[in-house]
Amino acid sequence: MRLVDSSGDLSGEMEVDAFRRLFPLRYYERHLAESIRPDGRPLGMARDTTLALGAVSSADGSALAKIGSTTMLAAIKMEVMTPSAESPDEGCIAIEFHMPPICSPIVRPGRPAEAAVVVSKQLSDTILSSGMIDLKELALVNADGALFDAALLSAVAAFSHLQIPVVSLNDKGKIVAFTEEGDTVGKLEKEAVNKEKRKLTLGNIPFSLTCTLHKKHILADPSSEEESIMETLVTVVMDSSDRLVSFYKPGGPALAYTSLVTDCVRLTRQRMKELEKILDEAFSGMEVD
Amino acid sequence: METDRKDGRTPNQLRMLSCSRNILHRAHGSASWSQGETKVLAAVYGPNAGTKKNEDPEKACIEVIWKPKTGQIGKAEKECEMIMKKTIQSICLLTINPNTTTSVVVQVVNDDGALLPCAINAACAALVDAGIPMKHLAVAICCCVAEEGSVLLDPTKLEEQQMRGFAYIVFPNSALSALPKGSSLVDGEPLEHGIITSVTHGVMSVDEYLRCVGRGRAACAKLSDVLRRSLQKSES
């Protein structure tokens, strides 16, 4: 496929791929002028999202989320703990975010975790917990832009999938997790504190959308190529009761004016509806089993 | 609606500001910025030759090192470093000194709320002191949303913890130009209304966030006056 470069400095024709590599910004700007992106998406549309619950069978709750080619795996492990004195009704959540070198050619072993994990900590405020530790592990399998969105989606899905295991008090008065495999002989004196596995009640579920801003165009859900060229990223997180959980814009050459802020919020609301539908579908798929 | 603040301020009132420059003699540029009890010291070293790995050698590279008051460097510090780095990158003219690294070291002297905005303001003043070329200065402010929806500016640490949510917002400072007004309107809004950086914690509605932004903008206009005056005073 030949592309005629009409900008003047390179007379004659040039291959599309070469143009894309040598002048990435101009390549994108020519697409933006037509309000379309190289992979055929309109500016406001996000990539195909899929969700698979229960990907890790040994974890209490898990989910695999794919946004385009970005793949993120979340697994939740619960542990029994003694709650702290100030908040005897609450447990706590510890989040670990791993970016193994498999995910992207720019990641080397030993590179520290991204800032996304710090932001995801605050989102756990919107999820209710009750007297136990959840240790959540998020592992990035493939990095292709919008890492935070995929991380949040898989974390939320894993939480929805989570079933709190049965616990009981043993003779010493400590709470111990009830193992599934038998152990019924001689231990029936223990009263199970909660009789059956129950699901974690979720408060308002947060959903997020990352956009890049480039000279008045807002691109929703950028791939890693788009992210590397357009330096301004905005991540908006909203929850199901239409409140803003986070508006995260760490610097970047493009400034956000009020109109841009409202546009990003509007795009996030749309995305939220799509994601809620996908989450429900994944769930009803699970229930059938 | 009037909310009683512990130190008797009105919702729109900022704490005592003070800024001093050129306090560290070995650094190329340094400044200390305090808002009430929160105090941050910033030092700028650079431009030094060479860029870091994975950075573009066609542009100048900015490196931020955040030193907390106590404790080891953890994820929260790394996140602050990243936010500050991106903010400073967007205000500096990076093409003037390609293939160089400028290091900004931020030392937290005391944390009593609104730490990140204080640090950004200190870093800006230090960059001016070092003579690093910039497009415009950045002024940062912290706004928080109380339970009943009222917006308070520049909270203390106690207030931050009690509030439903707070936002750190950074604006470019207003330009004093020799030409008459009307030359820098973008989308019908003047240049200084755009947000460079915004980081929020806690939940708030979209309207509350926009109100925070509006109040923050007005306060930043005052802040940038203070900044400009203190920088001009030191020159003479």
Side-chain angles (χ1 to χ4, degrees):
Chain A
M1 224 174 93
R2 307 303 247 168
L3 178 74
V4 177
D5 186 14
S6 54
S7 40
D9 50 346
L10 264 176
S11 59
E13 300 175 341
M14 188 196 253
E15 286 263 323
V16 178
D17 288 330
F19 189 65
R20 186 179 193 157
R21 284 298 171 95
L22 291 173
F23 306 107
L25 203 52
R26 282 226 293 271
Y27 178 79
Y28 272 94
E29 279 176 357
R30 289 176 70 134
H31 282 85
L32 286 179
E34 315 284 334
S35 292
I36 202 166
R37 289 147 93 162
D39 53 4
R41 283 188 282 160
L43 295 184
M45 199 170 98
R47 292 172 286 181
D48 287 334
T49 313
T50 50
L51 203 54
L53 297 174
V56 180
S57 49
S58 55
D60 297 316
S62 60
L64 180 74
K66 264 184 92 145
I67 299 185
S69 331
T70 303
T71 316
M72 188 84 62
L73 179 63
I76 305 186
K77 246 344 213 159
M78 302 196 77
E79 272 182 23
V80 186
M81 68 178 266
T82 39
S84 60
E86 302 91 62
S87 43
D89 287 334
E90 291 179 4
C92 63
I93 298 187
I95 303 186
E96 291 267 326
F97 186 85
H98 296 279
M99 268 182 86
I102 192 178
C103 67
S104 152
I106 49 173
V107 176
R108 292 264 163 272
R111 177 180 152 145
E114 285 236 334
V117 66
V118 181
V119 185
S120 69
K121 266 200 188 117
Q122 75 184 16
L123 298 169
S124 44
D125 296 338
T126 64
I127 302 174
L128 298 173
S129 62
S130 58
M132 290 188 193
I133 287 188
D134 310 328
L135 273 173
K136 184 154 70 236
E137 300 248 339
L138 290 166
L140 179 58
V141 177
N142 191 13
D144 188 30
L147 295 180
F148 179 69
D149 291 349
L152 181 58
L153 187 59
S154 59
V156 162
F159 265 116
S160 332
H161 177 241
L162 180 63
Q163 291 171 325
I164 304 181
V166 187
V167 282
S168 59
L169 283 166
N170 71 0
D171 307 318
K172 302 193 191 108
K174 288 197 169 163
I175 297 187
V176 126
F178 209 65
T179 45
E180 285 267 296
E181 297 87 43
D183 287 17
T184 48
V185 180
K187 293 186 184 163
L188 278 172
E189 315 92 64
K190 285 190 255 171
E191 281 273 327
V193 171
N194 40 349
K195 297 286 175 170
E196 55 188 35
K197 281 191 167 191
R198 66 185 172 88
K199 292 216 145 69
L200 196 61
T201 11
L202 293 179
N204 296 308
I205 306 181
F207 293 104
S208 73
L209 179 67
T210 306
C211 318
T212 53
L213 305 178
H214 178 70
K215 291 191 202 163
K216 301 201 194 170
H217 295 281
I218 306 179
L219 273 74
D221 194 23
S223 66
S224 59
E225 194 188 343
E226 290 168 345
E227 264 183 13
S228 58
I229 300 172
M230 292 161 209
E231 293 160 357
T232 316
L233 274 180
V234 175
T235 303
V236 184
V237 185
M238 297 194 65
D239 66 7
S240 22
S241 64
D242 213 33
R243 291 183 303 173
L244 191 69
V245 176
S246 159
F247 186 90
Y248 188 71
K249 177 182 188 291
L255 302 178
Y257 298 95
T258 324
S259 51
L260 272 168
V261 172
T262 34
D263 281 340
C264 288
V265 168
R266 190 178 40 87
L267 283 171
T268 312
R269 276 201 188 108
Q270 268 177 289
R271 177 74 175 145
M272 197 166 73
K273 296 200 177 70
E274 286 173 22
L275 287 175
E276 273 177 340
K277 226 171 31 137
I278 294 177
L279 195 61
D280 285 333
E281 279 171 11
F283 241 127
S284 46
M286 276 286 307
E287 303 285 275
V288 171
D289 300 338
Chain B
M1 64 189 103
E2 282 297 316
T3 322
D4 279 329
R5 294 175 84 166
K6 291 224 166 54
D7 48 7
R9 286 186 285 153
T10 62
N12 276 348
Q13 197 179 354
L14 304 172
R15 290 176 285 182
M16 266 289 288
L17 290 174
S18 75
C19 166
S20 35
R21 291 194 311 146
N22 208 7
I23 27 186
L24 300 172
H25 300 290
R26 306 286 301 198
H28 293 127
S30 59
S32 105
W33 183 281
S34 61
Q35 281 173 220
E37 297 290 317
T38 307
K39 186 164 170 177
V40 175
L41 193 57
V44 171
Y45 297 89
N48 292 322
T51 47
K52 313 200 85 184
K53 255 204 303 185
N54 294 336
E55 297 273 354
D56 187 3
E58 306 267 334
K59 296 198 186 141
C61 160
I62 311 267
E63 180 196 20
V64 178
I65 301 170
W66 179 286
K67 299 262 179 208
K69 182 178 177 190
T70 54
Q72 293 206 319
I73 298 188
K75 291 183 196 155
E77 285 76 35
K78 290 262 176 256
E79 190 198 5
C80 291
E81 281 178 14
M82 192 198 78
I83 297 173
M84 283 194 67
K85 176 181 165 167
K86 295 226 167 132
T87 308
I88 295 177
Q89 269 177 336
S90 55
I91 58 174
C92 285
L93 288 166
L94 297 174
T95 46
I96 289 193
N97 294 321
N99 205 17
T100 58
T101 304
T102 304
S103 311
V104 181
V105 182
V106 174
Q107 171 71 59
V108 176
V109 175
N110 192 22
D111 179 11
D112 187 33
L115 186 58
L116 190 60
C118 200
I120 293 179
N121 291 329
C124 250
L127 286 167
V128 169
D129 197 39
I132 308 285
M134 294 192 279
K135 288 184 242 179
H136 46 68
L137 296 175
V139 267
I141 190 104
C142 175
C143 316
C144 59
V145 179
E147 285 301 331
E148 52 301 345
S150 56
V151 173
L152 301 176
L153 290 180
D154 201 15
T156 60
K157 197 152 193 72
L158 209 56
E159 285 173 341
E160 255 182 22
Q161 284 162 349
Q162 289 166 348
M163 293 294 145
R164 183 153 43 99
F166 57 91
Y168 299 137
I169 314 187
V170 184
F171 293 98
N173 78 329
S174 31
L176 273 182
S177 67
L179 304 168
K181 275 266 189 199
S183 42
S184 58
L185 283 170
V186 182
D187 277 348
E189 290 185 69
L191 190 64
E192 57 267 17
H193 281 195
I195 305 175
I196 302 180
T197 299
S198 155
V199 182
T200 65
H201 285 268
V203 267
M204 57 182 91
S205 75
V206 182
D207 293 316
E208 283 166 355
Y209 176 72
L210 289 171
R211 257 189 294 151
C212 280
V213 171
R215 295 272 188 93
R217 212 173 265 155
C220 275
K222 282 183 263 175
L223 259 179
S224 59
D225 278 336
V226 170
L227 184 59
R228 183 171 281 127
R229 262 184 283 131
S230 79
L231 293 175
Q232 280 173 341
K233 209 168 29 156
S234 327
E235 293 302 322
S236 44

